């Protein structure tokens, strides 16, 4: 009779290390009391998902506020789904958001004493653990063919039983080691399965730092722990890696709650204490019918972090926004702190919402406007240039054509107590400022102007002739007063009350004068502050533009 030990040796002759060797190689970390070791564990299967940025930001914060360690582990055991180069790209995007790992997989190298941090390079470590389980009768080779698995599934369906590979349905759990050896010697393909001792009729207590304690069905599935390619499945790799990397809290999406019984079972079989778990709320969105659904990579632009980068949202805005989803008290805190010093905010699992949080683009836009408004001229200029160099060549060329002119434009009503908030994202800059530049203005001129239809061409002409007298060698208030005077001379009310009291006496108000002038100079109804627009354009250019517009009337 072949023993479990002999079987294990037959399957893993090359594995000489023991679990205690691994315990010695990856000792407990010496960190201060209460320090959390967290990890972000992406699979290299594409772009950074907004939900993944959310998770990694929280992992980073929780580790740092407790003086612990945040590391990244690349979960690349699903070789079929892997997209070449996406691991590096994920890391680069994380760094753009200041989510720097202290340790682990860095994209082009790794650092730290608990590696390798790429699961595909840890096959031997998993095998040590699998060999140990097998020696102890808690793992076995499974020779089931796809057809056999299909048959099991059909039978369970027919009898309305829980689907899966468990108990009496775990066909190859029940064969003898002698038969196993025979099949292996014949060259039959196999995977390795965990032998669960659980029963799905039982309930077990599990604990989650966000959700508290709750009951869940005990696991009895003999899950695959080693695939035919020699690599582990997620569940097993999670158990081994988080143990030997000495993770204290596993922070991951709520979609993993359903797998918790498996994880608890695996840790128990290994004789280890499981880490704490924090299952984060899933980020949702309202669909066309008003129903909540998970942000979808396929359907929603905002599911990919690259969308925000391409549009030029300040990265801090997205991080702050995500923090409002993470902790309900953060929004008040950051407003009180005038959008500064986020590092001083303490994130707590108690204040985390349990249900899926709705992604609120309006709130992100608000944060973004505030943050862009607060940046000083030089910072805004550098960030705009950086953005443009990556995503917007047209803007880049404009900036480079005359950096001082660009700075003057974006500095309109900036660097003051209550700065103007013209820009929501860097992608707004070009459309808002292009009229300042002659070639763009020529296009506007060709397209024509849409003045308020209540005014005749003569009215508009008269206003435009009148405002030529506006002097820019005076402060804004005097300039505005002069505009009122010009308006009064043409039959426009100088103040709103007079206009409201007797509208029939006037052609309009001073705001109509300003609007006509604004449209003539920019082709737009909304621009940054008109007084400064004129000053930056210069009196000479303003007069030229006004004449050109008059000529089109
Ligand atoms: N690789 C898993 C994923 O992509 C990680 C889950 C976890 O953090 O444990 O979702």
């Amino acid at each position: 009779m072949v023993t479990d030990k002999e079987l294990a040796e037959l399957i893993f002759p090359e594995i000489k290390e023991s679990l205690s060797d691994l315990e010695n190689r990856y000792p407990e970390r010496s960190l201060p009391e209460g320090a959390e070791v967290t990890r972000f564990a992406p699979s290299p299967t594409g772009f950074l998902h907004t939900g993944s940025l959310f998770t990694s930001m929280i992992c980073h914060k929780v580790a740092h506020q407790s003086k612990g360690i945040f590391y990244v582990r690349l979960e690349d055991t699903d070789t079929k789904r892997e997209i070449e180069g996406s691991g590096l790209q994920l890391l680069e995007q994380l760094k753009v958001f200041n989510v720097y790992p202290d340790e682990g997989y860095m994209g082009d190298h790794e650092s730290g004493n608990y590696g390798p941090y790429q699961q595909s390079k840890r096959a031997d470590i998993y095998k040590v653990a699998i060999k140990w389980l097998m020696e102890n009768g808690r793992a076995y080779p499974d020779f089931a063919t796809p057809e056999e698995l299909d048959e099991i599934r059909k039978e369970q369906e027919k009898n309305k039983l829980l689907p899966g590979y468990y108990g009496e349905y775990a066909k190859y759990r029940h064969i003898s080691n002698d038969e196993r050896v025979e099949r292996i010697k014949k060259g039959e393909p196999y995977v390795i399965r965990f032998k669960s001792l659980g029963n799905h009729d039982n309930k077990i207590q599990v604990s989650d730092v966000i959700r508290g304690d709750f009951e869940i069905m005990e696991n009895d599935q003999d899950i695959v722990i080693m695939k035919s390619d020699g690599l582990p499945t997620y569940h097993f790799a999670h158990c081994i890696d988080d143990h030997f990397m000495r993770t204290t809290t596993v922070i991951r999406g709520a979609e993993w709650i359903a797998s918790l019984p498996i994880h608890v079972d695996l840790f128990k079989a290994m004789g280890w204490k499981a880490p704490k778990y924090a299952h984060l709320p899933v980020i949702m969105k309202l669909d066309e019918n008003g129903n909540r659904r998970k942000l979808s990579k396929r359907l929603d632009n905002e599911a990919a972090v690259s969308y925000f980068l391409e549009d030029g949202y300040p990265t801090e805005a997205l991080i702050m926004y995500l923090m409002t989803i993470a902790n309900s008290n953060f929004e008040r805190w950051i407003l009180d702190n005038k959008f500064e010093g986020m590092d001083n905010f303490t994130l707590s699992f108690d204040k985390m919402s349990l249900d899926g949080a709705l992604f609120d683009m309006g709130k992100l836009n608000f944060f973004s406007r505030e943050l862009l408004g607060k940046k000083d001229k030089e910072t805004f200029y550098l960030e705009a240039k950086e953005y443009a160099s990556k995503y917007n060549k047209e803007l880049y060329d404009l900036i480079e054509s005359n950096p001082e002119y660009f700075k003057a434009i974006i500095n309109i009503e900036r660097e003051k107590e209550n700065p103007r908030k013209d820009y929501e994202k860097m992608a707004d800059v070009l459309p808002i400022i292009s009229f300042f530049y002659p070639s763009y203005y020529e296009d506007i001129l060709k397209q024509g102007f849409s003045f308020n239809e209540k005014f005749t061409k003569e009215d508009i002409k008269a206003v435009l002739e009148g405002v030529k007298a506006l002097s820019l060698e005076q402060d804004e208030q005097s300039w505005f007063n002069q505009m009122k005077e010009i308006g009064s001379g043409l039959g426009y009310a100088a103040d709103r009350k007079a206009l409201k009291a007797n509208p029939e006496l006037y052609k309009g108000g001073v705001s109509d004068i300003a609007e006509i002038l604004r449209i003539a100079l920019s082709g737009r109804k909304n621009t940054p502050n008109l007084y400064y627009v004129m000053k930056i354009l210069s009196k000479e250019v303003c007069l030229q533009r006004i004449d050109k517009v008059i000529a089109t009337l």
Side-chain angles (χ1 to χ4, degrees):
M1 264 249 301
V2 178
T3 63
D4 289 336
K5 215 170 158 60
E6 285 161 351
L7 178 66
E9 194 54 36
L10 175 76
I11 295 183
F12 299 110
E14 78 286 11
I15 300 302
K16 301 291 176 215
E17 272 187 310
S18 67
L19 278 185
S20 50
D21 292 333
L22 293 181
E23 294 290 344
N24 291 336
R25 198 186 327 157
Y26 304 113
E28 293 283 353
R29 294 167 184 266
S30 53
L31 290 170
E33 177 82 24
E36 298 279 5
V37 179
T38 64
R39 86 296 190 277
F40 173 52
S43 300
T45 51
F47 56 75
L48 183 61
H49 193 275
T50 304
S52 305
L53 178 62
F54 178 62
T55 306
S56 57
M57 168 196 90
I58 293 173
C59 293
H60 180 252
K61 179 86 184 159
V62 167
H64 285 190
Q65 72 187 15
S66 65
K67 305 205 165 28
I69 299 282
F70 164 63
Y71 72 89
V72 172
R73 176 171 76 228
L74 195 69
E75 305 220 319
D76 58 348
T77 55
D78 191 348
T79 39
K80 281 189 240 83
R81 285 177 58 226
E82 179 158 352
I83 294 176
E84 182 74 25
S86 62
L88 178 62
Q89 199 195 339
L90 285 171
L91 263 286
E92 278 170 356
Q93 291 190 336
L94 280 188
K95 288 179 189 163
V96 171
F97 288 90
N98 265 322
V99 180
Y100 278 92
D102 304 307
E103 168 184 316
Y105 172 78
M106 301 286 177
D108 48 3
H109 68 286
E110 53 172 58
S111 91
N113 299 327
Y114 291 81
Y117 295 89
Q118 237 175 300
Q119 290 182 330
S120 60
K121 300 196 172 139
R122 300 173 60 79
D124 281 356
I125 295 173
Y126 305 121
K127 284 178 184 167
V128 171
I130 294 171
K131 189 174 182 181
W132 182 85
L133 282 173
M134 198 173 269
E135 286 168 352
N136 289 282
R138 296 301 307 273
Y140 61 90
D142 172 36
F143 304 92
T145 60
E147 294 73 32
E148 284 175 294
L149 293 174
D150 208 40
E151 246 168 60
I152 296 173
R153 192 181 50 78
K154 281 194 187 129
E155 173 153 359
Q156 289 166 336
E157 249 171 40
K158 198 176 80 200
N159 297 319
K160 299 204 167 29
L161 292 167
L162 191 78
Y165 205 81
Y166 62 92
E168 59 178 296
Y169 297 97
K171 187 167 171 186
Y172 290 93
R173 170 182 180 145
H174 304 290
I175 64 172
S176 68
N177 281 345
D178 291 4
E179 184 179 342
R180 287 171 178 146
V181 171
E182 214 174 287
R183 284 176 181 263
I184 291 172
K185 288 201 167 144
K186 269 202 274 175
E188 276 187 37
Y190 62 89
V191 296
I192 309 272
R193 285 189 187 262
F194 170 62
K195 185 170 167 185
S196 173
L197 304 181
N199 177 349
H200 67 246
D201 290 331
N202 294 341
K203 290 257 188 290
I204 53 163
Q205 268 259 319
V206 288
S207 188
D208 176 290
V209 291
I210 301 173
R211 288 148 215 274
D213 296 344
F214 55 98
E215 283 200 330
I216 193 163
M217 188 171 90
E218 188 175 43
N219 177 59
D220 61 358
Q221 301 277 342
D222 284 0
I223 60 147
V224 174
I225 54 179
M226 192 181 96
K227 300 177 290 173
S228 53
D229 62 6
L231 289 173
T233 52
Y234 167 77
H235 305 301
F236 192 64
H238 149 55
C239 170
I240 302 305
D241 292 347
D242 285 313
H243 174 74
F244 284 120
M245 294 180 181
R246 309 295 176 185
T247 307
T248 58
T249 302
V250 167
I251 300 173
R252 61 186 179 186
E255 66 272 21
W256 293 108
I257 293 177
S259 311
L260 209 44
I262 298 176
H263 304 156
V264 170
D265 204 6
L266 288 172
F267 274 97
K268 199 163 121 199
M270 294 303 303
W272 297 334
K273 184 170 176 288
K276 289 178 279 181
Y277 286 96
H279 289 97
L280 300 178
V282 173
I283 303 181
M284 319 270 269
K285 168 170 177 144
L286 284 185
D287 70 11
E288 325 52 68
N289 307 317
N291 299 321
R292 282 167 170 250
R293 65 167 167 76
K294 205 176 147 181
L295 267 192
S296 137
K297 292 193 203 186
R298 211 164 36 80
L299 302 173
D300 307 314
N301 286 334
E302 63 270 45
V305 162
S306 54
Y307 165 76
F308 301 102
L309 295 176
E310 280 159 24
D311 257 7
Y313 277 90
T315 51
E316 321 89 274
L318 187 55
I319 290 290
M320 281 179 190
Y321 170 63
L322 291 176
M323 200 54 97
T324 66
I325 298 188
N327 263 192
S328 50
N329 55 330
F330 176 72
E331 189 168 348
R332 186 70 264 153
W333 188 94
I334 198 72
L335 292 176
D336 290 347
N337 285 277
K338 306 201 161 44
F339 297 91
E340 271 163 34
M342 246 192 103
D343 287 350
N344 300 326
F345 175 76
T346 307
L347 181 95
S348 88
F349 285 121
D350 308 342
K351 300 205 173 64
M352 192 95 48
S353 81
L354 302 188
D355 317 326
L358 279 185
F359 195 88
D360 180 350
M361 203 65 190
K363 199 180 279 180
L364 170 64
N365 288 339
F366 164 72
F367 280 4
S368 188
R369 252 179 218 282
E370 293 289 329
L371 285 164
L372 283 180
K374 269 173 70 80
K375 292 186 192 283
D376 63 37
K377 170 177 81 170
E378 209 55 34
T379 310
F380 189 98
Y381 155 72
L382 290 173
E383 290 185 8
K385 198 163 102 166
E386 166 80 12
Y387 162 78
S389 73
K390 285 200 188 116
Y391 302 107
N392 194 332
K393 168 132 185 20
E394 211 177 324
L395 176 63
Y396 186 78
D397 290 344
L398 275 195
I399 297 175
E400 282 295 83
S401 69
N402 187 345
E404 292 313 314
Y405 189 58
F406 176 78
K407 286 187 211 175
I409 296 169
I410 54 96
N411 202 35
I412 295 175
E413 294 190 291
R414 182 175 293 283
E415 298 187 359
K416 54 192 275 210
E417 178 80 41
N418 271 315
R420 212 180 142 105
K421 291 148 198 161
D422 286 315
Y423 313 101
E424 194 162 271
K425 48 194 184 296
M426 289 298 181
D428 294 343
V429 175
L430 183 65
I432 292 179
I433 72 162
S434 59
F435 74 85
F436 278 99
Y437 294 85
S439 65
Y440 288 84
Y441 186 73
E442 287 308 314
D443 289 341
I444 294 167
L445 205 54
K446 276 186 213 131
Q447 280 156 22
F449 298 82
S450 8
F451 293 107
N452 189 329
E453 283 172 5
K454 74 179 181 197
F455 299 116
T456 64
K457 282 185 180 181
E458 282 61 42
D459 292 334
I460 290 164
K461 206 183 245 177
V463 168
L464 290 177
E465 287 293 353
V467 291
K468 283 189 193 172
L470 272 176
S471 161
L472 300 175
E473 303 298 319
Q474 56 187 340
D475 64 25
E476 188 178 355
Q477 192 53 50
S478 325
W479 166 87
F480 190 62
N481 289 339
Q482 193 190 355
M483 183 144 62
K484 282 187 189 168
E485 270 167 38
I486 295 169
S488 297
L490 294 167
Y492 293 80
D495 76 275
R496 229 181 265 235
K497 266 197 218 133
L499 179 64
K500 242 187 147 180
N502 296 300
E504 66 293 348
L505 294 183
Y506 303 100
K507 278 182 183 300
V510 65
S511 61
D512 292 310
I513 307 281
E515 183 179 285
I516 291 169
L517 177 56
R518 190 188 300 274
I519 293 178
L521 295 176
S522 69
R524 305 171 59 107
K525 272 198 179 141
N526 293 308
T527 66
N529 178 309
L530 185 57
Y531 168 73
Y532 292 105
V533 166
M534 293 183 79
K535 280 185 87 96
I536 290 170
L537 282 172
S538 81
K539 172 93 187 183
E540 193 191 339
V541 169
C542 290
L543 289 179
Q544 284 165 6
R545 289 191 177 188
I546 290 170
D547 281 335
K548 283 183 183 168
V549 178
I550 291 175
T552 67
L553 291 170

